[in-house]
Amino acid sequence: MGGAQRRAPGAQGRSSYIAHLDEGGGAIWGWTPAPYGDEEEEAKETPPHSARPSADRGRVAGRRLGGGARAPTGGVAENRAACPDSSMPPSWAFPTLLADLCAAQLAGQVDGTRNGQRGLLASSLAQSQIPALVPRDFWALPENVTVLEGATAELQCGISALGSTVQWAKDGLLLGPDPRIPSFPRYHLKGNPDKGEFHLHITACDLSDDAQYECQVSRSEMSPELVSPRVFLTVLVPPKVLQMSPEAGSSVTWVAGQEYEVSCVSGDAKPAADITFLQSGRMVSDVSVDVNTGSQEKLYITEAIARVTPQSSDNGQLLVCEGSSPALDAPIKVSIIMNVLFPPGPPVIEWPGRDEGHVRAGQKLELSCKARGGNPPATLQWLKNGQPVSTPWGTEHTQAVAHSILLMTVRPEDQGTRLSCEAHNSVSTETQESGVTLQVTFPPRAIIILGSVSQTENKNLTLACISKSSRPRVLLRWWLGWRQLQPTEETVMDGLHGGHISMSNLTFLARREDNGLTLTCEAFSEAFTKDTFKKSLILNIKYPAQKLWIEGPSEGQRLRAGTRVKLVCLAIGGNPEPSLTWYKDTRTVTEPRPPQEPRQVQLGNLEKSGNTFSRELLLIAGPSDNQAKFMCKAGLLSASRQLVVQFPPTNLTILANTSALRPGDLVNLTCVSVSSNPPVNLSWDKEGDSLEGVAARPRSAPYKGFGAATSVLLRVSSRDNGHRVLCRAHSAELQETVSAFYRLNVLYRPEFLGEKIPVVTAVQHGEVLLPVSVSANPAPEAFNWTFRGYRLSPAGGPRHRILSSGALHLWNVTPADHGLYQLHCQNSEGTAEVFVRLDVHYAPTIRTLQDPAEVDIGGSVEIVCSADANPILPGMFSWEKLVEEGEEDSLDDMEQVSKGSTGYLKIQNAKLDQAGAYQCIVDNGVAPPARGLVRLIVRFAPQVEHPSPLNKVAAAGDSTSSATLHCRARGVPNIVFTWTKNGVPLDLQDPRYMEHTYHQGGIHSSLLTIANVSAAQDYALFTCTATNPLGSDHTNIQLVSISRPDPPSGLKVLSLTPHSVGLEWKSGFDGGLPQKFHLRYEALETPGYFYVDVLPPQATTFTLTGLQPSTRYKIWLMASNALGDSELTDRGTQLSITTPGLDHPSAGEPDHQPPTEEPVGPPGLPLLPVLFAVGGLLLLSHGFCVGGFLWKWRRRRLAEGISEKTDTGSEDNRVKNEYEKSQFAGDRDISSSTVSTSDVEPYYHSMNYFSPQLPPMLEEVPEVRGFTGLEGEDMVFPGPLYDEVKRHYAPTGAWGPLYDEVQMDPYGHHWAEQKYEDPRRIYDQVAGDLDTTESDSLPFELRGHLV
């Protein structure tokens, strides 16, 4: 504990109370039995040691009270286990001092300072005497126990005196009499107390349980206190881990023979672990061990360091560190892998044959070198005479063998070469080497004959034959043809690469008959029996030729220059062959050197024919050949021939006395003919005019010819610049003329040619070149163009460029470029100016066009079209009416007039079909023609649509449904609608009536909606009247109850085949409910009828199939709805057909079967049968739903058709008669209303009383909000809205509006700009429309035109 230890005075015997003062002065006390023998120094605590704890360890005194916990500040220990329990009997062995001290501690009456503690304890111990105890026998005493950490321990304690209180002390700390020992959860007393069994049982032992224990028995009435001998509970803690350096599991690289240190450290253990090292299974002896204190008291760490010297046999083996301990069943081990580096073994060279080192030159030598062992494997290096040779090498890791192959071709210079192989690796201290020396056998590389084999006959010929170095030496012998010659001398010398050189000399007399024989020197040796080495030469014995002459033109023959001349030199005999050399005068004749020049001389090769030799000389005779002497030589022999050549002047030159000429200057020209044969006559000519010359004294002429000269005097002008003055040299004998000219260079200022102000025409947006014809010498230095007083940039601009010729190039020409352009140019001699006018032609643009033009029907009107164009041509105006396909576009009844820039279209007695859109087309030949759109509106009185004598609308009269009456009319200007019922004006203030009026162009519509239709009040005749300032018109509509459909009409044949017939008809009034059609047909020769339903149900065309060829059929058509079928009558609902035979596969509509029509007379009003009154209400709801769907579907189709038609008309600029003040100007009630589902197509139309139809309007088709079930499906519309018959005046197009529906200004008669906005604009802005007040203060380049 390290504190001072004091024993109370007079304390003797087996046990006593002792007090200790720790380092801080605090008291540490407890019940401590005195040691046997009373040695006080044995009570001192001994420090831990690596060895097993001493047997005296149980005698350590001074253990802290309460498990060793120091009292907190205040000085009182808080562990109640240190104080006696209140339940203890009064005979407990604690002295009165301890009881008083515990009472003071619990009551908080003890002084908190450390000094107070020390004083209280010291004084108490000084005044108290602890009596000696009488021992009592134990029947079971505790013994020393050793357990592993985590195991269970039990200490025996059995007493004979029953009834005493027993408790255990741990290192002097009393554990208490409670068998459960609550302060130590792992401790409890085990056994039967009635039998005196008080065994201390400890579970899960840990290091804190390693202590001295004693069993204490308290004093009782029957016995004194007893204390057992102290015993030790030793807890063994095994080492958990071994830490190795280098790291365990790793591979370490060591060099064999070097010493390395390896450390191994155990974890905390008790006792300290024993560490040993195993190297490749062998114990390592050189190990130092150091034991240190562990991470906590009583634990120890063992650190061992081994010094290892690895050997090559340890490579790949393990170095193991083993940690053993009594606490371990088996040692724990960690290891590292030893990668031991050691040098390889010596290399071995494998020779491929028996005679090591003996090779022949040219042999492919392959040597293998191997070295075994070594880590890393050996690196092999071949050396040739000590110099490294680049060769690859490989390793066989399984056998630890490195091998390398040397490939080489043996050469003579390899004689005596030492080839060696070295083996080493990174740990080799020295390089190991093995080698072989080459002994090379090689033949002579060549045989050489020295000396000339050419010799004059009858003279000695001396030669020497020498062999190149060989090993071994060779012998030499001579052959002349097949005859062997004896040498005069033989010599052997040392050669290269350890070889020998042989030499043989030969001398013999040359004879003419030996010429051309082969002289051979042959080398041979027993070492080269398969090879022959020799050198041969051809003897050349010289002797002279016998005769020489020339064949060719005869002497004095005149040759014309350019004539091909052939001279042949011939010789007989001679060796060598005669060279036959040609000479011209004194110079040797050779080929001309420059290859690009024409070959004037061609020297032939030496030809041989038998014993005769010849050589040709071909030449083209020229001036230099005149009087020339050509000679041929062969050795000492020679022959010659002289030529006479006639030629024109070789050079004709004109010389001038001055080079700088200006208009009015005099120039003297001299013409010189250098040489000719015969002489020539000279004459002058200027641009075809002859000039008189003056002859001059001739000069000496080359080529032995004749010279001539003449001169002329001229006065020049600017027109003479560039003219040529010609000098001609004529030879009468040769009839040939040679000419030369002199070009006059007259300097003058610029001069312009052509008309004064040329006019150039250009087209707008095109490009144009303003040409200039200017003459000047020197050329003009600059061309400066100005336009309207402003200079154009010489460097060019966005729309112009000045060419090098001075011409002005313009592009993207505009009318603003029209005008006069001025060119100013100059040179060193002066300046000049010229003007050019540019006339810009541009496409016409319409400036004014009256739009729209209005006229009453039958009146007159004149449409004026004014245009801006250049040029303005007569008849450039034309007019065109925009019509749809199939309509008449003739303007024969109109007058077209053109006057200058204005065109007129005059219309007399205007008719309705003349209304529409017209184009004013202006074409002056410059594309594109201008087109202006103008509408002609013909005003006319209202024309109400009368599709039948009586329109019918069906609705249920149950006061819950509604009906909509449609009234449509045409008229210009806008129309006002009024309604009457049975002749009485309709009160539109009645909330049951609501009117909507719509106006679109010349088409107007009124929709009268009747809510809560009553059969009594509303089944009546309604009259719609349309009125405008030009008149009025009306129509009648009958509101009736729902009923059976009316019969269809107009049944006709569209197509006919042997097996089918195509039919078409007009649907009748559907009775207010959806209707469908049925066909009944019969074959006239076959009894019975066939019935077919038309699909889709509302279709008005159908193809009946399944017919037989060449058969007559009768066909009936009927309509039906939910209330019944239409009548099956003969009027328009039946027809007879005959199918064609198979030889006539198809036919059109038969001529004998015209389509049936209804009677001409108007039908009477249909009666209201009782069936309608009874069954109408039952089927009304179904009819309303179906009708609402059809009406909404039809509205969508019509909207698409009208939209498409309107867009097409807008794109094609096709416009009809339109007049509109306001699209909704005629609305009586602008509030919206809900349309009933009964708003179905209410019209029934008769063809017999047909008036021109009007197209539906988008506003007339209110959206059916109560029916959306089949809105998105693709359904076939039941039929056209109106019968398709010829109109009286309306344009064609069954679905198109009478006039294209174009948005108009609500209060004007002009077009809306957004509808007819032409991308090119209706009236183009032309140059004349530009602001003429443009400021002239800006320079021209900044005005945005040419610059």
Side-chain angles (χ1 to χ4, degrees), residues 701-714:
Y703 311 128
K704 300 178 181 179
F706 304 91
T710 183
S711 61
V712 67
L713 188 64
L714 298 175

Side-chain angles (χ1 to χ4, degrees), residues 26 99 200 253 483 505 512 611 625 727 822 836 848 928 1038 1051 1053 1125 1263 1281 1315:
L200 178 61
T253 300
R483 183 182 49 160
N505 295 328
R512 178 176 294 191
N611 198 28
D625 298 326
C727 175
Q822 182 182 13
V836 180
T848 58
Q1038 178 73 48
L1051 179 63
V1053 176
D1125 299 335
E1263 182 178 356
L1281 184 59
K1315 278 292 182 180

Side-chain angles (χ1 to χ4, degrees), residues 1-4 20-28 64 70 114 118:
M1 298 292 294
H20 301 269
L21 296 179
D22 62 6
E23 292 83 348
I28 303 173
R64 298 188 178 191
R70 185 183 298 276
R114 184 170 293 184
R118 186 184 300 112

Side-chain angles (χ1 to χ4, degrees), residues 60 405 680 716 991:
V60 177
I405 295 178
V680 295
V716 298

Side-chain angles (χ1 to χ4, degrees), residues 663 686-687 716-723 744 746 748 751 775:
K686 175 188 173 188
E687 297 296 329
V716 298
S717 65
S718 61
R719 293 188 299 272
D720 294 328
N721 180 54
H723 287 182
L744 298 177
V746 182
Y748 59 97
E751 296 177 357
S775 174

Side-chain angles (χ1 to χ4, degrees), residues 97-173:
L97 172 62
L98 182 59
D100 295 340
L101 183 59
C102 289
Q105 169 189 352
L106 299 175
Q109 299 175 358
V110 181
D111 187 359
T113 64
R114 184 170 293 184
N115 292 332
Q117 291 179 10
R118 186 184 300 112
L120 177 62
L121 182 61
S123 61
S124 299
L125 293 176
Q127 299 174 3
S128 301
Q129 294 293 326
I130 301 176
L133 300 180
V134 178
R136 183 171 298 179
D137 293 334
F138 289 87
W139 60 266
L141 291 176
E143 297 178 352
N144 293 333
V145 176
T146 300
V147 297
L148 292 178
E149 182 181 26
T152 300
E154 185 174 294
L155 301 177
Q156 300 286 330
C157 181
I159 62 175
S160 300
L162 303 179
S164 300
T165 301
V166 179
Q167 63 177 339
W168 284 83
K170 175 185 177 181
D171 284 342
L173 175 65

Side-chain angles (χ1 to χ4, degrees), residues 948-1030:
S948 67
L950 183 63
N951 296 336
K952 290 190 293 185
V953 177
D958 55 359
S959 300
T960 61
S961 302
S962 62
T964 301
L965 309 183
H966 293 235
C967 180
R968 283 178 285 190
R970 282 192 318 232
V972 177
N974 279 356
I975 290 175
V976 176
F977 292 94
T978 59
W979 289 85
T980 63
K981 183 172 72 172
N982 292 333
V984 178
L986 196 62
D987 182 11
L988 295 178
Q989 300 301 321
D990 188 336
R992 292 197 312 113
Y993 301 106
M994 180 180 297
E995 182 193 12
H996 289 275
T997 58
Y998 303 96
H999 306 276
Q1000 188 169 3
I1003 303 172
H1004 315 273
S1005 179
S1006 175
L1007 276 68
L1008 177 63
T1009 303
I1010 305 172
N1012 303 326
V1013 174
S1014 170
Q1017 297 180 16
D1018 299 321
Y1019 284 172
L1021 183 65
F1022 290 83
T1023 302
C1024 171
T1025 303
T1027 306
N1028 74 356
L1030 301 182

Side-chain angles (χ1 to χ4, degrees), residues 218-287:
S218 66
R219 181 188 310 168
S220 67
E221 295 177 356
M222 302 298 295
S223 64
E225 71 273 11
L226 296 175
V227 178
S228 70
R230 294 178 182 177
V231 295
F232 289 94
L233 174 60
T234 304
V235 178
L236 303 182
V237 179
K240 303 298 190 300
V241 67
L242 290 177
Q243 293 182 350
M244 196 173 185
S245 178
E247 184 179 356
S250 64
S251 176
V252 296
T253 300
W254 290 338
V255 177
Q258 297 185 13
E259 183 180 275
Y260 298 91
E261 287 189 353
V262 179
S263 66
C264 188
V265 180
S266 72
D268 290 335
K270 179 177 178 294
D274 294 329
I275 294 178
T276 58
F277 288 89
L278 298 176
Q279 178 183 352
S280 300
R282 305 184 306 275
M283 182 75 71
V284 178
S285 58
D286 190 0
V287 179

